[in-house]
Amino acid sequence: MTLLSARGLSLRFGAIPALVDVDVDLWQGEVLAIVGESGSGKTTLLNVLSGRVTPDAGHVFYRDPHGLEHDVHAMPSPALRTLHRSDWGFVHQDPRQNLRMNVSAGGNVGERLMARGARHYGNIRAEAIDWLTQVEIDASRVDDLPRTFSGGMLQRLQIARTLVTHPRLVFMDEPTGGLDVSVQARLLDLIRTLVARLGIAAVLVTHDIAVARLLAHRIAVMQRGRIVETGLTDQVLDDPQHAYTQLLVSSVLQA
Amino acid sequence: MTLMLRTEGLAKTFTLHLRGGMMLPVLSGIDLEVHAGECVVLSGPSGAGKSTLMRSLYGNYRAEAGRILVRHGGEMVDIASAEPRIVLAVRRETLGYVSQFLRVVPRVSTLDIVADELITRGRDPAAAAVLLSRLNIPRRLHDIPPATFSGGEQQRVNLARGFIAGHPILLLDEPTASLDAENRAVVVEMIREAKQRGTAIVAICHDAEVRDAIADRLFPLTPAREAA
């Protein structure tokens, strides 16, 4: 059964079609990459799927752990907020959008647990430290403020904050964008390992085809608001069918 | 013998949109059958479509027409039309593929690359080091990512990763191409053992000596060609 499914999503920004009749299905534990160049509608699609932006037409359905299906855009906003705090996670390209910069690293991770109802300080702190270690941040930094962290560390802290509640579904917007290549490789391996181990489903927006190949089971290629091709990641990248995908794949520099 | 893999009327044409929609027919009307414990070697000149056929069998290339039936669990699954998550399940449980060149996540150690295949299947990862050592990758290299390895070493890491899970069907693209005589012999022995366990194998192999040692029969391919 699908975890998330979208039907007929359309959205215009004035004269610009940002989404045109987009369907998406995501299964439990599946990582779907949305690729395409800037302005193709990738981030808009992510925002609509996660209920942050309302489409002009179409529906997004989320199936909760009890098997009940929810129309994401028809949910009352407190219910949607609860979903974002518990079942869902969102990893932004800029970790500052998600982190509280004047709260300690441990506090940033613990806050998500508290929002879900955890109250025992010792347990929260222990779990925060455990997660900092999992994302390779030294436990001695638990009381430091995020502003003393490097870009790569901030991104890892954001991932710890997002995954600490064991979400079933994570939305990621260019999670490795803006990082040094060496930091990127480590972060990608971290995301890949954690997502596989926790069995998390993810929708990942990236303009970097190599990132999609590494992390995603399935890929959807967007051009001018439409999904022009979708399928198994290695199949779409090694045997692209659509003219735009062929252009995208053939334009990648070989390192 | 149990039929493990069968193609029916498999065809593959590449359409190059960036070359004005030029069509490159590579495969047509391919009917291949492979049984348990059997090794079929694809033969034919360069450009005949051997690798294309193998990649199609793996679902890496999209079949244009025909069916690719693979015995997965108790039933035959058509790789050509199956949903992506079904193809992934078939690859996890049933269908292994050793490509010509190693492709890995940067900075992951050699041992982890192989052990990961066992861990993700909930099995004891200890066998990974044993198989690497059998393929003459010494212990002192196990903790190093294979990026700096020689071509032959990388191929042996690739083989270890491909063989470790014991898939019932194995696709091997030039498994011994850059190996010396000693390592070729190890790989030939591993293929023999896999066949004895009932593994169905499809291989591409230009080395006549290795081919004679592993092949139960050849499956000849001829260049389709002539652009439409």
Side-chain angles (χ1 to χ4, degrees), chain A residues 27 182 185-186 189 192 213-214 217-218 229-232 234-236 238-239 241-243 246-247 250, chain B residues 12 14-18 55 59-62 83-85 87-88 91 103-108 116:
Chain A
W27 297 74
S182 59
R186 189 162 152 206
D189 190 41
R192 188 184 64 100
R213 189 189 281 275
L214 204 63
H217 301 118
R218 214 149 51 78
E229 181 165 0
T230 177
L232 209 55
D234 64 88
Q235 195 179 67
V236 170
D238 293 339
D239 186 18
Q241 308 289 308
H242 190 273
Q246 291 189 356
L247 178 67
S250 67
Chain B
K12 178 66 186 170
F14 291 97
T15 306
L16 309 182
H17 292 291
L18 306 181
R55 282 166 171 262
N60 178 227
Y61 285 176
R62 207 175 297 213
E83 296 274 323
R85 68 202 163 78
V87 176
L88 290 176
R91 288 179 182 179
R103 183 176 222 157
V104 292
V105 181
R107 304 175 51 152
V108 177
D116 199 44

Side-chain angles (χ1 to χ4, degrees), chain A residues 18-127:
Chain A
L19 294 178
V20 185
D21 198 22
V22 170
D23 293 348
V24 173
D25 282 309
L26 186 73
W27 297 74
Q28 206 163 335
E30 184 179 57
V31 179
L32 169 69
I34 302 169
V35 304
E37 55 199 13
S38 302
S40 57
K42 306 187 297 282
T43 299
T44 302
L45 176 57
L46 195 70
N47 287 333
V48 169
L49 289 176
S50 60
R52 294 153 54 94
V53 171
T54 309
D56 296 337
H59 295 276
V60 178
F61 298 100
Y62 168 69
R63 192 182 302 278
D64 73 18
H66 309 290
L68 294 174
E69 215 171 47
H70 302 270
D71 182 338
V72 168
H73 293 280
M75 284 171 89
S77 41
L80 186 60
R81 273 201 302 276
T82 305
L83 203 56
H84 269 282
R85 271 202 306 264
S86 53
D87 281 18
W88 291 7
F90 206 111
V91 175
H92 296 268
Q93 177 173 1
D94 180 2
R96 290 167 193 84
Q97 267 187 272
N98 199 353
L99 296 171
R100 301 223 298 177
M101 300 304 281
N102 53 355
V103 171
S104 72
N108 264 285
V109 179
E111 193 180 48
R112 278 268 292 189
L113 288 171
M114 287 171 67
R116 220 186 44 173
R119 286 293 173 261
H120 186 283
Y121 176 79
N123 292 350
I124 293 169
R125 186 176 169 86
E127 189 153 3

Side-chain angles (χ1 to χ4, degrees), chain B residues 97-104 108-115 117 128 131-133 135-138 141-142 144-164 175 178-179 183 187 190:
Chain B
Y97 170 50
V98 179
S99 59
Q100 240 172 318
F101 302 101
L102 179 66
R103 183 176 222 157
V104 292
V108 177
S109 81
T110 297
L111 185 62
D112 286 348
I113 288 165
V114 182
E117 298 293 321
L131 185 56
L132 280 168
S133 299
L135 283 157
N136 295 308
I137 305 288
L141 295 183
H142 290 191
I144 303 172
T148 54
F149 288 8
S150 74
E153 285 167 338
Q154 292 199 4
Q155 190 173 25
R156 281 178 274 140
V157 175
N158 211 13
L159 283 157
R161 179 170 66 171
F163 273 81
I164 192 80
S178 41
L179 301 187
N183 285 305
V187 174
M190 281 168 55

